[in-house]
Every structure is written in structure tokens, then in C-alpha cells.
Amino acid sequence: MSLQSALPDAVGASASHPVETSVEALAASFAEADRHPVDLSGYGIEDWVCLGFFWTMAGLVFLQFFTRYVLNDSFAWTEELAVYCLMPVVFIGASMCVRRMRHIQVNLLYGHLPAFAGRVLSTAVDLAAIAFYGYASWLVARYALAVDNEPMTTIDWNKSYVYWLAFAGFALMTVRGVQVAVENWRRGFSPLQNPAHFEDATH
């Protein structure tokens, strides 16, 4: 058999084998995933509320795109409501980050401090965060009361409801901040002092 005649057979065999292997591996991965039970216990109320507003916003954006580019007659209210849906996604989603301790943290200083000093400083950071969340909740509540009964631009809905959702996000951040501070105190360290512990727990 010549080299030229054998080459297509070799290429065909080598090309078909990885496809069979990848299909088998994919089927095995699905079978393995089916054996793992679904655990939703790690999710809080803010996770589901944020998810609902996110998909509502996605639906409004799609509707705006469809009416503008397919029907050539855009619904003006879709843009405004999509923007207002973004507010609870951001602020209620931020409370989820507080609970999971996923906000940006600068821990460079803690590696050069004694353990006691690091403990005091990390506790002060937790208290400062709680104070900020509580003060922001008060400010947003005042603003929501100030715009009470003020209609939206494109639809006759009360604009203050949107800001009450932002208030709910900051109030949840305050509650979650207190819970995180208590957990850090009982544990004896925070993510600022020992970030590797929380990375290992995540994985």
C-alpha cells in the first residue's frame, strides 16, 4: 500500500476517534451530574428576588429590541422599566455579595500586622460597613418618601416603589453585614485576615 493511499484512511481514523471519545466523555459527564443531588440551601431570599428582576429586565430588553427592529414601532415604556429593574438587581444583588463576603477587599496590610491588631482592624471594618449600609438605608428611605406619588415618565406608576426596592437592598445589606460581623467574631478571623480559608471553603 502506498503512502498516499494509506494517508486518507489514517486521517479518517484519527479524525473519527476524538469525536467518539468526546461524545462518550460528554455522556459520562451528564451521567455523573445526574448522580449529584441539587442543593439550593446556600441561596438566600435576595438571590431569588435578584434573579426574578434580572430575567424581567432581560425580557423587557428583548421586547424593546423586538418592537424596535422587527415591528419598527418601539414601546417607549420598555426602556424605562428595564432601567428601573436594574436598580433592584444592583442593590439587592449587593446584599447577596455582603452575605457571601464577595465585595472587593484590600488585605495587603493585614499580612504585616500582629494578630491582635489585625483582629481589631477587621472588626472596625465590619462595624464601619454596617454603619455605612444603615446610613445609606436611611438616605434612600428619605428619598423614596420625597418622590412619593410621583409618576414615571412613560407609564403612570409610582416612582417611589423603585426606590423602596433600593432601600430594601441597603436594609438587607445592613442585616447581612451584622450577620457576617457576628460570624467573623465567633470564628476569630475575617476574610481580610485569612482569605485563603474562604477560598478553600468556596472550592
Side-chain angles (χ1 to χ4, degrees), residues 65-81:
F65 177 86
F66 180 80
T67 55
R68 175 175 295 181
Y69 295 105
V70 177
L71 303 181
N72 202 24
D73 185 15
S74 177
F75 294 159
W77 51 269
T78 55
E79 182 176 359
E80 184 178 19
L81 289 183

Side-chain angles (χ1 to χ4, degrees), residues 13 15 30 38 41 60 83-84 106 111 115 118-120 141 160 169 177 182 186:
F30 279 111
V38 178
S41 61
L60 288 169
V83 171
Y84 285 143
V106 181
R119 187 75 188 95
V120 171
S160 67
V182 171
R186 290 175 176 174

